[in-house]
Amino acid sequence: MSATSPPALDAVLAAAAAAAPTLAAATPRARAQLLIALADGLSDAGAELTAIAADETGLGEARLTGEVARTAVQLRLFAETVLTGGALGARIDEADPAFALGHRPDLRRSHRPVGPVLNFAASNFPFAFSVLGGDTASILAAGCPVIVKAHSGHPLLSDATGAVAQRVIAELGFPAGTLQVVHGHDAGVVALTDARVRAGSFTGSTAGGRALADLAAARPAPIPFFGELGSVNPVVVTAAAVAERAPELASGYLASVAGSAGQLCTKPGVLLTATPGPIAAALSRLPRVPEHRLLGARITESYRERRAALLTLPGVTPIIEGSIRIENDGTGWVTPTIVSASLATVLAHRQLLADETFGPLSVLAELPPAADPAAVLDELFEGSLTGTVHISATERAAPGPELARLAEVLAQRAGRVIFDEWPTGVAVSPAQQHGGPWPATTNDTSTSVGSAAISRFLRPVAFQNAPQALLPAELTDANPLGVRQERSRAGESLHWGAPRP
Amino acid sequence: MSATSPPALDAVLAAAAAAAPTLAAATPRARAQLLIALADGLSDAGAELTAIAADETGLGEARLTGEVARTAVQLRLFAETVLTGGALGARIDEADPAFALGHRPDLRRSHRPVGPVLNFAASNFPFAFSVLGGDTASILAAGCPVIVKAHSGHPLLSDATGAVAQRVIAELGFPAGTLQVVHGHDAGVVALTDARVRAGSFTGSTAGGRALADLAAARPAPIPFFGELGSVNPVVVTAAAVAERAPELASGYLASVAGSAGQLCTKPGVLLTATPGPIAAALSRLPRVPEHRLLGARITESYRERRAALLTLPGVTPIIEGSIRIENDGTGWVTPTIVSASLATVLAHRQLLADETFGPLSVLAELPPAADPAAVLDELFEGSLTGTVHISATERAAPGPELARLAEVLAQRAGRVIFDEWPTGVAVSPAQQHGGPWPATTNDTSTSVGSAAISRFLRPVAFQNAPQALLPAELTDANPLGVRQERSRAGESLHWGAPRP
C-alpha cells in the first residue's frame, strides 16, 4: 500500500472540513442510522474482511470473527448512546432574578462536535481499534468527520474496510469526507499538524504516542490528543486466594497472558503474590498452548530481544518457558512464557521485569511474607490501564484495611480496578474506563473504550438568553429529542444562604 | 514580596503531596464544610482585604466589595455542587450475563481527584480569580490540594487571603498543604514541572498561558493544563435592533466596555453593525465616564501603545476619544475610548482592530449593507470566550435563517453565545461555559467558571466486580451520599439487536 501523497492528503483534509458542518447538523437519529448501517455493512462483509485480516495479522479466525462482532456491537452501542443524548450533557439554568448575586440569566449548555478528528489505528485490533473501531465510532457519534491513519500492519484490510464504510456513507447520503483512510507516517504527521484537524486519537506504543501528542501540543493552535499507550497491568493475588483456588487462578492467568499472543494492552505483565508456589505448580501442569503468530516482524524482533534478555537474568526462573520461532521473512511464532522472580530481583531489573513486554510473557513475582502489597505497588509501578486483585471468598465477604489500602493504590495507578477477574477483555459499556495515568495514556481524564469515549470529541457551548428557535434542539423547552436536561430552577440554588452539610 | 525560595517551594510541594490523600479521602460533606468555612472566612475579612486590594489594584471599592461577595458565593456554590455529587459522574453497569457480546461484568465508574494542582492567579480579579477564586474553589471541590502562584499585581492581598484560608484550614483540621501561596515567576515554572503537581490552571495573557501550557505538555509525565487567555468577544447588532433601541444599546455597550476599566476577558472588543450611525450618535451623548486606574504599569504601557497606534490609523474615527494619564511611577488612569471604522479598515488592520486590547477600548465596525454578518465573523475572528448578538423584538419572535447562521458561526467560535445582553458579567452557575476555541483558551473542552469547572481536576476510575466494601461510597448500592447514579441495567442495552431510530 503506497503512502497517501501530499495532494491526495490535502483533498482528504478538505473533504473532512467540508463534511464537518453536515455531520454537526445531523440529528441524533441520522447519526445513529449511520452507525447502525456501518455495523450492518461491517457484519455483511465480515467473511471477506476476516480473510484479509487473517493474512495480514496472523490473528486466528475465531478471534477475528469475534472482533468483527464486537466492533459491530460497539457501533450499535454508540448509536444507542447517541439516541439517548446523554453525551450532550444538556444543562439548563433558568433565569433567576433573585439569585444570590442578583439577576442570573437564562443559560443553557450542551456539547457540540469539535470538527475533523484524525485517528491513528492500532495494529493489534484490526477491527475493534482500526477503521471502524471504537475511536471511529465515538468520533462519528460525536458528529465529527474521521480521518483514519491506517496501521501499516493491515493496509489492505484498512482499505477494504474503508470501502465498505464509504459505500454505506454514500448510500445514506452523508458526505464522502465523513470517513476517510490515509496511509503512511508522513501523511499522519502532516494531517495532525494541519489546521483543519481539530483533535487526534491514537492507540499504540508509548514512544509513538508521545511523539504525536507533542506534535499536537506544539501546533500554532494546539488540539486535544488522546493517546492510549502501553501498560503493565499488575495483578495481586492474596495468599488466601491462592490457598482457595490456585489451579483456577493459574489457568485464568495463563489464558489472559496467552490470548491473542499477549498482544493486548491489558495483558497482565506482572503477578505479585506471597505464595507463588501453588500457582507455579498449577501453571506447569497446564496443557501446552498452541503456537500463535505475532502481528509483525518489528513486534517479533522486539519481543525476541526482551524475552531473551529477561531469561538470562540471574534470579529469573522459567515456569512455562514457551518458545519463539522466526521465519526467514521475520514472521514470528510464539507460545507463552511465564517466569518467576523474587521481588528483590524485580526491583533490581525493573526495566525488564516491571515494564511492558508486548507479547505473551509475564512475571510471577514473589512478595516477601511481610511485604505490604500496596506499598510494593506504590514503589514499583507507574500508571497502568488496569490493576487487578484476586481475593478469597472470605476476604470478599469482609475485606480488611490492607485490601482497602491496596484498592486505593490501584485506583491511584490505574483507570480500571478489577477484582477476581482478569484484565484482558474490555467490556464496551457506559461505565467502562480504558485509560490510566501516564504512561498508560497521554490524557487520563478520558477513556478510549465505552460510551464515555464520545466526550473526547465534544466541546461545551452555553447559550445565554437565546430565543428558543435559535437553541440546539436538546436545549429547548420543547425538548423534541427527549434527552435528559439537568435543570437548575430559579429559586433552588443558594437561596437559603449557606448550604448546611 | 520576595519570591518563594527553592527550599521553601520544595516544602510547599511536599506539603501539597502529603495533603492529597487526606483531601481525596474527605467526604463530600467535609469538603463542602471547608468551602463554606472559607467563604465565611473571606466574608469576615472582607473589609481588611478589600482595603489591601484597592491599594494594590486600583479597582474601585464597589467593584471589590462585589467581587468578595461573588467569590464567597462561588465557594458556596461549589460546596452545593460537591454535596449533590453530580461531578462524580457515577455510572453503574450491572453485570449482564446475556449482553450482546456475552457476559458483561459489574462495572462502576466515578471520578477521583487528580492530586495537587498549581493555579496561576489572574491580575484582573484579585478575589474571584485569585487565591480563593473560582479555580481554587473547583480544585478544592474536586478534592485536590491547591498551590496558588500569586499574581505579582497583588502580592500582599494574596498573602493576606492565604493567611485567612490557612486559619480556616487549620481550624477545620485539614492539612496545611490544602492551600498554599507561592510567589515569583521561577517558582511557578519549577512547580509546574515538578512531578508532584498533577494539573495546572491559569488566567492571563495568551503568550503567558501558552508558554506554561507548553511546559506542562513537555514534562516527562505530561499533565492537563487549563489556560484561560485573551478574547475579542465580537458583538453583532442587527439593523432592526439599532432601529428599535439605539440609546439603550449604546449605554449597554459603553458600560460593558468601561466596567473595571475594560480589564475583563469578556469585554466586547468589536461591535459590528450595518447601521452604526444611531449608536455612535447615542454614544456621544452619554455622560463622561469617570477616570479609572489601570491594574499596573505594564498593562498601562501596553494599553497606551495600542490605543495610540489605533487612533492614528487612517479610517479610524473616535466616537468617544477617552483619555489616558500616566503618573511618574507608571500608574495609568483612563476613560474609555470607542472608535468607529469601516469593515474594510478593520480587515486591513486586523491586528489592531480585530484583536484584543486589554483596557477600555472598543471598535464600532460598520458592515457594508449587503454583508452577511455570519460570513464576516467567519472571516475575521478566531476563538473567543463569548459572541453576542442583539436583535429586535420582531427578530426574537421569529428569527430568520440569517440569524440561525449567525448563531451557528458564533457557536463555532465561542464558548458562550449571548442574545440581547452583554458579555461582561459571568454568572457562576451549572450551565456556565467560560472557555472557547484557541486562542481564547488552551483547552476548549472545559470551563473555568461555573460548577462544571470541577471536572478539570478529576479523572475517571472504573471498578470491575468489586466487593461493595471496597467501592467509593458513590458507587455502592447503598448510596449513602444519595448521589445520582446513572445505571445501565442488565437486559436494557442492545438486547433488541439494532436500535431502530
Side-chain angles (χ1 to χ4, degrees):
Chain A
M1 192 57 48
S2 62
T4 303
S5 69
L9 181 65
D10 189 66
V12 163
L13 290 161
T22 308
L23 281 177
T27 61
R29 194 183 143 95
R31 278 186 216 162
Q33 280 169 329
L34 173 62
L35 289 163
I36 292 165
L38 289 169
D40 289 342
L42 177 67
S43 299
D44 292 348
E48 169 208 337
L49 296 176
T50 49
I52 306 174
D55 188 54
E56 287 192 314
T57 67
L59 293 168
E61 191 180 322
R63 149 73 199 262
L64 289 169
T65 307
E67 193 181 327
V68 167
R70 173 202 164 104
T71 306
V73 166
Q74 193 160 251
L75 289 160
R76 287 175 204 284
L77 180 83
F78 278 98
E80 188 178 270
T81 306
V82 167
L83 287 173
T84 66
L88 295 168
R91 292 182 170 193
I92 298 179
D93 299 345
E94 295 179 357
D96 187 351
F99 188 63
L101 295 174
H103 173 72
R104 184 180 81 173
D106 177 288
L107 269 172
R108 295 165 188 248
R109 180 190 203 253
S110 65
H111 288 72
R112 51 179 291 132
V114 294
V117 180
L118 177 65
N119 170 237
F120 291 84
S123 70
N124 59 341
F125 280 95
F127 293 103
F129 282 88
S130 193
V131 175
L132 281 174
D135 281 328
T136 290
S138 52
I139 293 163
L140 293 176
C144 302
V146 57
I147 299 169
V148 179
K149 195 289 205 175
H151 195 279
S152 57
H154 51 271
L156 296 173
L157 175 66
S158 300
D159 275 350
T161 312
V164 167
Q166 277 291 350
R167 205 157 52 232
V168 168
I169 285 163
E171 276 168 21
L172 266 67
F174 277 90
T178 299
L179 183 155
Q180 301 171 92
V181 177
V182 300
H183 295 270
H185 173 268
D186 291 355
V189 166
V190 170
L192 188 63
T193 50
D194 189 279
R196 288 164 288 191
V197 164
R198 299 305 176 90
S201 59
F202 169 90
T203 303
S205 71
T206 304
R210 179 60 190 259
L212 295 173
D214 288 348
L215 280 176
R219 289 166 42 125
I223 53 171
F225 183 83
F226 305 92
E228 195 260 82
L229 315 176
S231 186
V232 183
N233 307 300
V235 176
V236 173
V237 183
T238 66
V242 172
E244 185 183 271
R245 56 180 199 280
E248 181 190 328
L249 288 164
S251 65
Y253 179 33
L254 180 59
S256 194
V257 171
S260 301
Q263 301 164 115
L264 300 178
C265 49
T266 53
K267 182 208 71 183
V270 179
L271 186 153
L272 303 120
T273 181
T275 53
I279 294 183
L283 278 172
S284 57
R285 281 194 302 270
L286 287 170
R288 195 179 151 78
V289 176
E291 229 182 14
H292 194 298
R293 202 180 105 189
L294 290 175
L295 285 162
R298 209 162 50 183
I299 285 170
T300 300
E301 184 46 27
S302 151
Y303 178 73
R304 187 196 62 73
E305 263 181 37
R306 281 190 71 99
R307 178 174 171 278
L310 203 139
L311 283 171
T312 57
L313 285 178
V316 168
T317 311
I319 306 294
I320 298 179
E321 181 149 1
S323 62
I324 178 164
R325 176 171 68 78
I326 304 181
E327 296 177 351
N328 287 337
D329 66 354
T331 304
W333 294 82
V334 291
T335 62
T337 295
I338 294 182
V339 300
S340 73
S342 69
L343 177 62
T345 300
V346 174
L347 283 167
H349 304 283
R350 35 209 302 177
Q351 296 295 331
L352 275 173
L353 296 173
D355 205 347
E356 185 183 25
T357 296
F358 197 72
L361 186 149
S362 189
V363 177
L364 177 59
E366 178 166 5
L367 295 173
D372 175 12
V376 171
L377 285 169
D378 198 38
E379 155 72 16
L380 199 52
F381 296 106
E382 297 181 79
S384 258
L385 291 167
T386 69
T388 300
V389 195
H390 287 276
I391 56 182
S392 70
T394 311
E395 286 168 330
R396 177 169 276 272
E402 74 292 350
L403 281 179
R405 261 201 326 278
L406 185 55
E408 169 60 21
V409 169
L410 286 174
Q412 284 168 15
R413 290 288 186 286
R416 179 163 54 111
V417 181
I418 302 152
F419 292 84
D420 295 333
E421 296 182 343
W422 294 92
T424 48
V426 184
V428 182
S429 67
Q432 186 55 273
Q433 173 56 28
H434 192 66
W438 174 265
T441 49
T442 59
N443 187 328
D444 63 7
T445 60
S446 66
T447 180
S448 65
V449 177
S451 49
I454 299 179
S455 66
R456 295 176 295 171
F457 309 112
L458 295 171
R459 97 181 151 79
V461 175
F463 293 82
Q464 179 175 329
N465 192 31
Q468 291 282 318
L470 294 179
L471 286 168
E474 69 272 15
L475 292 178
T476 59
D477 292 338
N479 192 14
L481 305 176
V483 303
R484 191 167 64 77
Q485 298 174 326
E486 206 171 314
R487 200 170 261 268
S488 174
R489 292 186 194 282
E492 259 181 8
S493 183
L494 293 181
H495 274 260
W496 63 96
R500 307 240 167 266
Chain B
M1 192 56 48
S2 63
T4 304
S5 70
L9 181 64
D10 190 65
V12 163
L13 290 162
T22 307
L23 281 178
T27 61
R29 196 185 141 94
R31 280 186 215 163
Q33 279 169 330
L34 173 61
L35 290 164
I36 291 165
L38 289 169
D40 289 342
L42 177 67
S43 299
D44 292 349
E48 167 207 340
L49 296 176
T50 48
I52 306 174
D55 188 54
E56 287 192 312
T57 67
L59 293 168
E61 192 181 322
R63 149 72 198 262
L64 288 169
T65 308
E67 194 181 326
V68 168
R70 174 202 164 103
T71 306
V73 166
Q74 193 161 251
L75 288 159
R76 287 175 204 283
L77 180 83
F78 278 98
E80 188 179 88
T81 306
V82 167
L83 288 172
T84 66
L88 296 168
R91 291 181 172 195
I92 298 180
D93 299 344
E94 296 180 355
D96 188 351
F99 188 62
L101 295 174
H103 173 72
R104 184 180 82 175
D106 177 290
L107 269 172
R108 295 165 188 248
R109 180 188 201 255
S110 66
H111 288 75
R112 52 180 288 134
V114 294
V117 180
L118 176 66
N119 171 237
F120 291 84
S123 68
N124 59 341
F125 280 95
F127 293 103
F129 283 87
S130 193
V131 175
L132 281 174
D135 281 328
T136 289
S138 51
I139 292 164
L140 293 176
C144 302
V146 58
I147 299 169
V148 179
K149 195 294 206 168
H151 195 279
S152 58
H154 51 271
L156 297 172
L157 175 66
S158 300
D159 276 350
T161 312
V164 168
Q166 277 291 352
R167 203 154 56 230
V168 168
I169 286 164
E171 276 167 20
L172 267 67
F174 277 89
T178 299
L179 184 154
Q180 301 170 92
V181 177
V182 300
H183 295 269
H185 173 266
D186 291 356
V189 166
V190 170
L192 188 62
T193 51
D194 189 280
R196 288 165 288 192
V197 165
R198 300 306 177 90
S201 59
F202 169 90
T203 303
S205 71
T206 305
R210 179 59 191 260
L212 295 173
D214 288 348
L215 279 176
R219 289 165 44 124
I223 53 171
F225 183 83
F226 304 92
E228 197 261 82
L229 316 176
S231 186
V232 182
N233 307 300
V235 175
V236 174
V237 183
T238 66
V242 173
E244 185 183 271
R245 55 180 198 280
E248 182 191 328
L249 288 164
S251 64
Y253 179 34
L254 181 59
S256 193
V257 171
S260 301
Q263 301 165 114
L264 300 177
C265 49
T266 52
K267 181 207 72 182
V270 178
L271 186 152
L272 304 120
T273 179
T275 54
I279 295 183
L283 279 171
S284 57
R285 282 194 301 268
L286 288 169
R288 196 179 150 81
V289 176
E291 232 184 12
H292 195 298
R293 200 179 107 190
L294 290 175
L295 286 162
R298 210 161 49 181
I299 285 170
T300 300
E301 183 48 24
S302 151
Y303 178 73
R304 187 197 60 74
E305 263 181 36
R306 280 190 70 98
R307 178 174 171 278
L310 202 140
L311 283 171
T312 57
L313 285 178
V316 169
T317 311
I319 306 293
I320 298 177
E321 181 150 359
S323 62
I324 178 164
R325 176 171 68 80
I326 304 182
E327 295 177 351
N328 287 339
D329 66 356
T331 304
W333 294 83
V334 290
T335 62
T337 296
I338 294 183
V339 300
S340 73
S342 69
L343 177 62
T345 301
V346 174
L347 283 167
H349 304 283
R350 39 210 297 177
Q351 297 294 334
L352 275 172
L353 297 173
D355 206 348
E356 186 183 25
T357 296
F358 197 73
L361 185 149
S362 189
V363 177
L364 176 59
E366 177 167 5
L367 295 172
D372 175 14
V376 171
L377 286 169
D378 197 39
E379 155 72 17
L380 200 52
F381 296 106
E382 299 180 78
S384 258
L385 291 167
T386 70
T388 299
V389 195
H390 287 276
I391 56 182
S392 70
T394 311
E395 287 168 328
R396 177 169 274 271
E402 73 292 349
L403 282 179
R405 264 200 325 279
L406 186 54
E408 168 62 21
V409 169
L410 287 174
Q412 285 167 17
R413 290 290 185 288
R416 179 164 53 111
V417 181
I418 302 152
F419 293 83
D420 295 333
E421 295 182 345
W422 295 93
T424 47
V426 185
V428 183
S429 68
Q432 186 55 274
Q433 172 57 28
H434 193 66
W438 175 264
T441 49
T442 60
N443 187 327
D444 63 8
T445 61
S446 66
T447 179
S448 66
V449 177
S451 49
I454 299 178
S455 66
R456 294 176 296 169
F457 309 113
L458 295 170
R459 100 182 148 80
V461 175
F463 293 82
Q464 179 175 330
N465 192 32
Q468 291 282 319
L470 294 179
L471 285 168
E474 69 271 15
L475 292 179
T476 59
D477 292 338
N479 192 13
L481 305 176
V483 302
R484 191 167 65 78
Q485 298 175 326
E486 204 170 318
R487 200 171 261 268
S488 173
R489 294 187 190 280
E492 257 179 12
S493 183
L494 292 181
H495 273 260
W496 62 96
R500 307 240 167 267

